Amino acid sequence: MGFSLATLQRSHSLIRNSFLLPALLLLSLSGCSTLTDKSEQSSQATSVYNSATDRTLLLTQVTQWQISGKIAFIEKDERNSATLSWQVNEDNRTQALNLTSYLGINVLQLTSKEGLHALTFDGKTYYDTNLQLLIYSLTRLTLPIVALNSWVKGLPYQENDIISYDNATQLPSKLTSTYDQSLWEISYGNYKKFGNHLLATKLTITKGDLLIKLSIKDWQLNTEQSQRLDLKN
């Protein structure tokens, strides 16, 4: 992406100075409509997989995907929400994340390539190799975006992540992870079929007092690698 070491060093200085920024444009989003608290069940949530191992294998092959929807951050007395568009290509380690207000104003724009991240916030662009720290430094939002690449698909990010499955659908209902020295719990609901896969459209992510709600309106999966392998024959 053409980022020099000097640029990266200057960005670290900018990030350190950004801790005193006002409570962010994101705080102005608190008036947006909040995500539902109810755990909905989809009529389409009938298993298309032989087993949990089958599902993990097939979804691991889906390395290019995009979601759109809404995200809400709730912590103590603060509530912030935004419209979300997130595109990921795991093959070449690139991604693009955009958060916009309900008025369509761009609040946060993130692009990543091969471990270097550029985040545009409040009209300025900052660079760092630590994505989670970069987001928190500028926005004060705790977003486990690295692990969420896997969690959003109902897949473990670490080997010791624990997944619980619904008895009726055999789809993930809960994931527990000790990530970044903290205990995270992710609940999944309202599964719908996108392409050849059943994916959750309601996620509730908790860590201590932090609650993140993700409501996904649409999943777009890469056509080549998301093609269903006929393992049932």
Side-chain angles (χ1 to χ4, degrees), residues 1 3-5 7-9 11-12 15 93 95 110-119 126-135 137 145-146 157 179:
M1 296 178 64
F3 303 137
S4 67
L5 179 59
T7 300
L8 187 56
Q9 290 171 337
S11 68
H12 278 284
I15 291 168
R93 298 174 63 198
Q95 68 178 331
L110 167 74
T111 57
S112 302
K113 183 176 181 180
E114 298 179 349
L116 186 58
H117 315 286
L119 192 151
Y126 305 85
Y127 306 98
D128 207 325
T129 55
N130 188 324
L131 180 53
Q132 190 163 315
L133 176 61
L134 179 64
I135 293 174
S137 299
I145 188 169
V146 177
Y157 173 67
Y179 169 71

Side-chain angles (χ1 to χ4, degrees), residues 62-228:
V62 180
T63 56
Q64 300 174 39
W65 49 268
Q66 181 174 358
I67 60 174
S68 58
K70 293 182 179 180
I71 188 167
F73 299 84
I74 304 166
E75 189 167 14
K76 297 181 180 179
D77 296 329
E78 292 188 6
R79 179 187 294 260
N80 307 298
S81 59
T83 299
L84 170 146
S85 175
W86 189 17
Q87 185 175 1
V88 175
N89 186 326
E90 299 171 17
D91 295 327
N92 59 17
R93 298 174 63 198
T94 61
Q95 68 178 331
L97 171 68
N98 288 284
L99 299 183
T100 57
S101 72
Y102 72 103
L103 295 175
I105 300 172
N106 188 274
V107 177
L108 179 153
Q109 184 176 8
L110 167 74
T111 57
S112 302
K113 183 176 181 180
E114 298 179 349
L116 186 58
H117 315 286
L119 192 151
T120 300
F121 174 77
D122 198 20
K124 298 180 180 179
T125 301
Y126 305 85
Y127 306 98
D128 207 325
T129 55
N130 188 324
L131 180 53
Q132 190 163 315
L133 176 61
L134 179 64
I135 293 174
Y136 182 79
S137 299
L138 296 173
T139 68
R140 294 301 196 191
L141 295 176
T142 300
L143 180 63
I145 188 169
V146 177
L148 196 57
N149 272 268
S150 298
W151 292 347
V152 73
K153 293 187 288 184
L155 298 176
Y157 173 67
Q158 303 173 134
E159 290 186 0
N160 59 350
D161 286 356
I162 300 173
I163 300 180
S164 301
Y165 293 87
D166 183 89
N167 290 331
T169 65
Q170 292 301 301
L171 295 169
S173 59
K174 182 179 178 181
L175 185 150
T176 303
S177 176
T178 302
Y179 169 71
D180 198 25
Q181 300 181 340
S182 298
L183 179 64
W184 294 82
E185 292 185 349
I186 301 91
S187 298
Y188 300 90
N190 198 29
Y191 279 84
K192 293 183 180 180
K193 192 172 184 180
F194 297 92
N196 295 308
H197 295 283
L198 286 168
L199 295 159
T201 60
K202 302 290 185 184
L203 283 78
T204 301
I205 305 163
T206 58
K207 179 185 78 77
D209 293 331
L210 173 65
L211 171 64
I212 302 173
K213 291 186 177 183
L214 184 58
S215 178
I216 300 174
K217 181 180 180 181
D218 185 43
W219 272 94
Q220 294 183 29
L221 309 176
N222 55 308
T223 55
E224 265 187 43
Q225 292 176 314
S226 64
Q227 290 299 313
R228 175 74 169 96

